[in-house]
Amino acid sequence: MAEHLYQLDSYIRAFEAVVTAVNGPLVALDRTAFYPGGGGQPADLGTLRWDGGETQVIKVERQGADVWHILDAEPPPPGTPVSGALDWERRYQLMRTHTALHVLCGVVWRDYGALVTGGNMEPLKGRMDFEFETMHKELVSEIEASVNAEIAEGHAVRAAILPREQAFQIPDLIRTKINLLPPQIQEVRTVEIVGLDLQADGGTHVANTREVGRVRVVDYKSKGAINKRIYIELEPEA
Ligand SMILES: [Zn+2]
């Protein structure tokens, strides 16, 4: 099984690997830092280079335990050593955005007891749906202020991989619907914003909330009687 470097160190932006399988324009590696997407975070983009060749990674997909890199040119054969490099500017913006959404999630749960029902992001922009009965301008400004206060606190952000049984004993994880995980999944990756939020999550995050920078709540919307959607944006620089 390939080593998923992004799971424990989201700051790896370049790496060496060996091609393990090829299928048309798809290539699998023995290790990769390319995030295949999931949990609302889009997959990484970047480049793959080898002796005599270089091409763009235009898409990354996870199928079971395998990560497939979709290349813009014919992949080199299995056994070829390659160097991978992420489009780091984009990935780092996604890390900041993903952590911002978890801060939002943590604040809304702590202060209002509202559960998250979904979310999505692109670099420097994201949205999240909550089970909130009412949403109004004052409430939104209050949430925005609390989110920025928590970001400025400089909470550490940590990823861990726990055995399923141990993860299921953490009460905080229940609200992220961890109990919906299929039984064959024996390990659960968690992302903790220390002192604020703990979730089962596969994404890549910054190491400290200060790296997120200022967050603005730019819009909110009703998506039915219970679901309310909050839109956020980040500054280009933290
Ligand atoms: Zn997440």
Side-chain angles (χ1 to χ4, degrees):
M1 194 180 113
E3 200 184 335
H4 302 150
L5 302 169
Y6 55 85
Q7 286 192 328
L8 288 174
D9 186 354
S10 54
Y11 289 82
I12 298 174
R13 57 175 98 177
F15 63 99
E16 304 297 317
V18 174
V19 175
T20 54
V22 173
N23 181 6
L26 279 67
V27 60
L29 306 172
D30 63 339
R31 56 211 295 270
T32 187
F34 281 91
Y35 181 61
Q41 183 183 334
D44 287 327
L45 302 174
T47 56
L48 217 57
R49 200 172 300 138
W50 60 95
D51 194 14
E54 177 176 348
T55 187
Q56 300 294 312
V57 176
I58 53 174
K59 208 175 164 196
V60 188
E61 281 177 4
R62 188 164 176 161
Q63 288 173 16
D66 300 319
V67 173
W68 290 99
H69 309 73
I70 296 122
L71 306 187
D72 200 19
E74 194 174 329
T80 308
V82 295
S83 305
L86 307 187
D87 174 345
W88 179 250
E89 189 183 350
R90 178 175 177 278
R91 152 66 99 76
Y92 186 61
Q93 288 181 347
L94 286 166
M95 285 161 59
R96 291 172 55 212
T97 308
H98 201 155
T99 301
L101 289 168
H102 281 217
V103 171
L104 173 64
C105 203
V107 162
V108 167
W109 170 252
R110 181 196 64 193
D111 297 350
Y112 311 98
L115 283 167
V116 174
T117 55
N120 215 340
M121 76 199 79
E122 50 187 291
L124 305 179
K125 275 181 190 184
R127 61 167 173 81
M128 212 147 226
D129 295 342
F130 296 96
E131 290 179 349
F132 244 110
E133 294 215 356
T134 54
M135 181 65 65
H136 50 86
K137 209 162 180 280
E138 291 71 32
L139 186 59
V140 166
S141 334
E142 203 174 283
I143 292 170
E144 184 186 80
S146 305
V147 163
N148 284 304
E150 292 300 332
I151 286 168
E153 284 273 326
H155 294 274
V157 184
R158 294 183 194 140
I161 295 174
L162 305 177
R164 182 189 177 94
E165 292 315 312
Q166 193 183 331
F168 271 65
Q169 284 161 17
I170 303 173
D172 273 12
L173 290 183
I174 305 298
R175 76 186 158 88
T176 58
K177 302 191 167 67
I178 189 181
N179 47 333
L180 298 179
L181 285 179
Q184 66 269 26
I185 296 190
Q186 286 306 314
E187 284 183 328
V188 178
R189 182 174 178 277
T190 60
V191 172
E192 179 178 22
I193 298 178
V194 179
L196 182 67
D197 187 66
L198 176 59
Q199 297 187 35
D201 190 84
T204 63
H205 290 259
V206 293
N208 188 291
T209 55
R210 259 190 223 115
E211 292 180 53
V212 171
R214 190 158 177 80
V215 168
R216 280 177 305 129
V217 175
V218 291
D219 203 4
Y220 62 95
K221 225 177 245 172
S222 208
K223 302 294 285 182
I226 294 293
N227 284 326
K228 301 293 177 290
R229 181 167 288 178
I230 295 178
Y231 295 86
I232 62 162
E233 281 184 22
L234 279 70
E235 302 295 329
E237 305 292 331

Coordinates of all heavy atoms in Angstrom, one line a residue, residues 35 38-41 98-99 101-102 105 121 128 189 191 197 199-205, ligand 1:
Y35 N -2.7 15.2 -2.2 CA -4.0 14.9 -1.6 C -5.0 14.6 -2.6 O -5.2 15.4 -3.6 CB -4.4 16.2 -0.7 CG -5.7 15.9 0.0 CD1 -5.8 14.9 1.0 CD2 -6.9 16.7 -0.2 CE1 -7.0 14.7 1.6 CE2 -8.0 16.5 0.5 CZ -8.1 15.5 1.4 OH -9.3 15.3 2.1
G38 N -11.4 15.2 -0.9 CA -12.3 14.6 0.0 C -12.6 15.5 1.2 O -11.8 16.4 1.5
G39 N -13.8 15.3 1.8 CA -14.1 16.1 3.0 C -14.3 17.6 2.6 O -14.1 18.5 3.4
G40 N -14.7 17.8 1.3 CA -14.9 19.2 0.9 C -13.6 19.9 0.3 O -13.7 21.0 -0.2
Q41 N -12.5 19.2 0.5 CA -11.2 19.8 0.1 C -10.8 19.3 -1.3 O -10.7 18.0 -1.5 CB -10.1 19.6 1.1 CG -8.7 20.2 0.6 CD -7.6 19.9 1.6 OE1 -7.8 19.6 2.8 NE2 -6.4 20.0 1.1
H98 N -9.2 25.3 4.9 CA -9.8 24.1 5.6 C -9.8 24.3 7.1 O -10.8 24.1 7.8 CB -9.1 22.8 5.2 CG -9.9 21.6 5.4 ND1 -9.7 20.4 4.7 CD2 -10.9 21.3 6.3 CE1 -10.5 19.5 5.1 NE2 -11.2 20.0 6.1
T99 N -8.6 24.8 7.6 CA -8.6 25.0 9.0 C -9.5 26.1 9.5 O -10.2 26.0 10.5 CB -7.1 25.4 9.4 OG1 -6.2 24.3 9.1 CG2 -7.0 25.7 10.9
L101 N -12.4 26.7 8.2 CA -13.8 26.1 8.3 C -13.9 25.3 9.6 O -15.0 25.2 10.2 CB -14.0 25.2 7.1 CG -14.3 26.0 5.8 CD1 -14.2 25.1 4.6 CD2 -15.6 26.8 5.8
H102 N -12.8 24.6 10.0 CA -12.9 23.9 11.3 C -13.0 24.8 12.5 O -13.7 24.5 13.5 CB -11.7 22.9 11.5 CG -11.8 21.7 10.7 ND1 -11.4 20.4 11.1 CD2 -12.4 21.4 9.4 CE1 -11.6 19.5 10.2 NE2 -12.2 20.1 9.2
C105 N -16.6 25.8 12.5 CA -17.3 24.6 13.0 C -17.3 24.5 14.5 O -18.2 24.3 15.2 CB -16.6 23.4 12.4 SG -17.5 22.0 12.2
M121 N -15.1 23.8 -0.2 CA -14.1 24.9 -0.3 C -13.4 24.9 -1.6 O -13.3 23.9 -2.3 CB -13.1 24.8 0.9 CG -12.0 23.7 0.7 SD -11.2 23.2 2.2 CE -12.4 22.1 2.9
M128 N -20.2 26.5 4.7 CA -20.5 25.4 5.6 C -22.0 25.5 6.0 O -22.5 26.6 6.1 CB -19.6 25.5 6.8 CG -19.3 24.2 7.5 SD -17.7 24.2 8.2 CE -17.2 22.7 7.6
R189 N -8.5 8.9 11.0 CA -7.6 10.0 11.1 C -8.4 11.2 11.7 O -9.6 11.4 11.4 CB -7.1 10.4 9.7 CG -6.1 11.6 9.8 CD -5.6 11.8 8.4 NE -4.7 12.9 8.3 CZ -5.0 14.2 8.1 NH1 -6.3 14.5 8.1 NH2 -4.1 15.2 8.0
V191 N -8.4 15.3 13.2 CA -7.7 16.6 13.2 C -8.3 17.4 14.4 O -9.5 17.6 14.5 CB -8.0 17.4 11.8 CG1 -7.5 18.8 11.9 CG2 -7.3 16.7 10.7
D197 N -11.6 22.2 18.7 CA -12.4 21.3 17.8 C -11.6 20.0 17.6 O -10.4 20.0 17.5 CB -12.6 22.1 16.5 CG -13.5 21.4 15.5 OD1 -14.7 21.2 15.8 OD2 -13.0 20.9 14.5
Q199 N -12.2 16.5 15.1 CA -13.1 15.9 14.1 C -12.3 14.7 13.5 O -11.1 14.7 13.3 CB -13.4 16.8 13.0 CG -14.2 18.0 13.4 CD -14.7 18.8 12.2 OE1 -15.0 18.3 11.2 NE2 -14.7 20.1 12.4
A200 N -13.1 13.7 13.0 CA -12.6 12.8 12.1 C -12.5 13.5 10.7 O -13.5 14.0 10.3 CB -13.5 11.6 12.0
D201 N -11.3 13.5 10.1 CA -11.1 14.3 9.0 C -9.9 13.9 8.2 O -8.9 13.5 8.7 CB -10.9 15.8 9.4 CG -10.9 16.8 8.2 OD1 -12.0 17.2 7.9 OD2 -9.8 17.1 7.7
G202 N -10.0 13.9 6.8 CA -8.9 13.4 6.0 C -8.1 14.5 5.4 O -7.1 14.2 4.8
G203 N -8.5 15.7 5.6 CA -7.8 16.9 4.9 C -6.5 17.3 5.4 O -6.0 16.8 6.4
T204 N -6.0 18.3 4.7 CA -4.7 18.9 5.1 C -4.9 20.3 5.7 O -5.7 21.1 5.2 CB -3.7 19.0 3.9 OG1 -4.3 19.9 3.0 CG2 -3.5 17.7 3.2
H205 N -4.2 20.5 6.9 CA -4.4 21.7 7.7 C -3.1 22.4 8.0 O -2.1 21.8 7.9 CB -5.1 21.3 9.0 CG -6.5 20.9 8.8 ND1 -7.6 21.7 9.0 CD2 -7.1 19.7 8.3 CE1 -8.7 21.0 8.7 NE2 -8.4 19.8 8.3
Ligands
ZN1 ZN -12.5 19.1 7.4

